[in-house]
Protein backbone atom coordinates (compact mmCIF):
# COMPACT_ATOMS: atom_id res chain seq x y z
CA UNK A 1 0.00 0.00 0.00
CA UNK A 2 1.52 3.30 -1.06
CA UNK A 3 0.83 6.35 1.07
CA UNK A 4 0.85 9.95 -0.05
CA UNK A 5 2.32 11.33 3.18
CA UNK A 6 -1.12 11.81 4.72
CA UNK A 7 -1.76 12.55 8.36
CA UNK A 8 -3.86 10.29 10.56
CA UNK A 9 -4.80 9.45 14.13
CA UNK A 10 -4.05 6.40 16.25
CA UNK A 11 -5.30 5.46 19.71
CA UNK A 12 -3.05 3.58 22.13
CA UNK A 13 -4.44 0.36 23.56
CA UNK A 14 -2.58 -1.67 26.15
CA UNK A 15 0.46 -0.89 28.26
CA UNK A 16 3.31 -2.04 26.00
CA UNK A 17 4.57 1.52 25.45
CA UNK A 18 4.41 2.81 29.04
CA UNK A 19 5.77 5.08 30.38
CA UNK A 20 6.13 6.90 27.04
CA UNK A 21 2.51 6.31 26.04
CA UNK A 22 -0.53 5.35 28.08
CA UNK A 23 -3.71 3.51 27.11
CA UNK A 24 -6.11 6.02 25.56
CA UNK A 25 -3.46 8.44 24.31
CA UNK A 26 -4.38 9.90 20.91
CA UNK A 27 -1.50 10.21 18.46
CA UNK A 28 -0.95 12.20 15.29
CA UNK A 29 0.82 9.99 12.75
CA UNK A 30 2.38 10.69 9.36
CA UNK A 31 1.88 7.99 6.74
CA UNK A 32 4.80 7.39 4.41
CA UNK A 33 7.27 9.33 6.56
CA UNK A 34 10.88 8.20 6.66
CA UNK A 35 11.60 5.99 9.66
CA UNK A 36 14.64 6.64 11.84
CA UNK A 37 16.04 4.46 14.60
CA UNK A 38 14.43 5.45 17.89
CA UNK A 39 11.20 6.76 16.32
CA UNK A 40 7.77 5.62 17.44
CA UNK A 41 5.95 3.98 14.56
CA UNK A 42 2.59 2.48 13.67
CA UNK A 43 3.25 -0.97 12.23
CA UNK A 44 1.23 -3.92 10.96
CA UNK A 45 2.28 -7.35 12.23
CA UNK A 46 1.83 -10.45 10.06
CA UNK A 47 -1.50 -11.27 11.75
CA UNK A 48 -2.88 -7.86 10.72
CA UNK A 49 -2.57 -6.25 14.15
CA UNK A 50 -1.68 -2.54 14.10
CA UNK A 51 0.60 -1.55 16.95
CA UNK A 52 2.64 1.43 18.10
CA UNK A 53 6.24 0.38 18.74
CA UNK A 54 9.73 1.86 18.80
CA UNK A 55 11.84 1.33 15.66
CA UNK A 56 14.98 0.04 17.36
CA UNK A 57 17.13 -0.64 14.29
CA UNK A 58 16.97 -1.60 10.63
CA UNK A 59 16.74 -5.37 10.17
CA UNK A 60 16.20 -8.00 7.52
CA UNK A 61 13.03 -10.10 7.58
CA UNK A 62 13.27 -13.91 7.40
CA UNK A 63 12.35 -13.66 3.69
CA UNK A 64 15.29 -11.30 3.09
CA UNK A 65 13.29 -8.06 2.72
CA UNK A 66 14.41 -4.84 4.41
CA UNK A 67 12.58 -4.14 7.64
CA UNK A 68 12.73 -2.92 11.21
CA UNK A 69 13.26 -4.54 14.58
CA UNK A 70 10.47 -3.06 16.71
CA UNK A 71 10.41 -2.95 20.51
CA UNK A 72 7.94 -2.12 23.26
CA UNK A 73 9.08 0.52 25.75
CA UNK A 74 7.65 -1.72 28.48
CA UNK A 75 9.32 -5.12 27.86
CA UNK A 76 7.03 -6.88 30.35
CA UNK A 77 3.89 -6.05 28.31
CA UNK A 78 2.81 -6.67 24.75
CA UNK A 79 4.37 -8.35 21.76
CA UNK A 80 7.18 -7.00 19.57
CA UNK A 81 10.01 -8.18 17.32
CA UNK A 82 11.53 -10.20 20.16
CA UNK A 83 8.48 -12.45 19.78
CA UNK A 84 7.58 -12.10 16.09
CA UNK A 85 10.80 -11.11 14.36
CA UNK A 86 11.49 -8.02 12.24
CA UNK A 87 8.62 -6.28 10.47
CA UNK A 88 8.96 -5.54 6.75
CA UNK A 89 9.63 -1.90 5.90
CA UNK A 90 6.38 -1.80 3.91
CA UNK A 91 4.49 -2.78 7.09
CA UNK A 92 5.80 0.21 9.05
CA UNK A 93 2.90 2.35 7.89
CA UNK A 94 3.36 5.62 9.79
CA UNK A 95 5.63 7.56 12.12
CA UNK A 96 4.21 9.06 15.32
CA UNK A 97 4.68 12.84 15.36
CA UNK A 98 2.70 14.09 18.39
CA UNK A 99 0.58 12.96 21.30
CA UNK A 100 -2.62 15.02 21.01
CA UNK A 101 -4.36 13.77 24.13
CA UNK A 102 -4.24 13.01 27.12
CA UNK A 103 -0.88 14.70 27.64
CA UNK A 104 -0.23 16.81 24.52
CA UNK A 105 3.35 17.01 23.31
CA UNK A 106 6.14 15.45 21.34
CA UNK A 107 6.92 11.77 21.77
CA UNK A 108 9.80 9.58 20.75
Amino acid sequence: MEHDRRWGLAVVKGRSMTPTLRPGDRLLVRYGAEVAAGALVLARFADGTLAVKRAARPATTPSGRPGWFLLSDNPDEGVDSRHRGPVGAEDVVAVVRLRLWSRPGRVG
Side-chain angles (χ1 to χ4, degrees):
M1 176 180 209
E2 190 169 314
H3 295 287
D4 57 3
R5 300 182 71 80
R6 298 175 285 135
W7 294 95
L9 298 174
V11 178
V12 176
K13 298 184 188 287
R15 303 187 50 77
S16 70
M17 292 305 292
T18 58
T20 307
L21 301 173
R22 298 179 188 160
D25 282 352
R26 269 62 169 179
L27 308 174
L28 179 67
V29 300
R30 181 75 173 200
Y31 292 98
E34 186 173 332
V35 179
L40 295 182
V41 298
L42 181 63
R44 185 178 319 281
F45 284 105
D47 67 358
T49 302
L50 280 173
V52 175
K53 299 294 174 192
R54 189 168 303 279
R57 65 181 180 275
T60 302
T61 68
S63 65
R65 297 183 337 250
W68 285 90
F69 196 84
L70 305 178
L71 293 174
S72 301
D73 282 1
N74 180 354
D76 296 329
E77 295 274 341
V79 175
D80 58 27
S81 290
R82 292 170 299 158
H83 310 95
R84 296 186 179 181
V87 172
E90 70 279 4
D91 292 318
V92 178
V93 297
V95 175
V96 176
R97 294 298 191 205
L98 294 171
R99 180 179 40 240
L100 300 173
W101 190 86
S102 66
R103 302 165 292 138
R106 291 203 171 275
V107 295

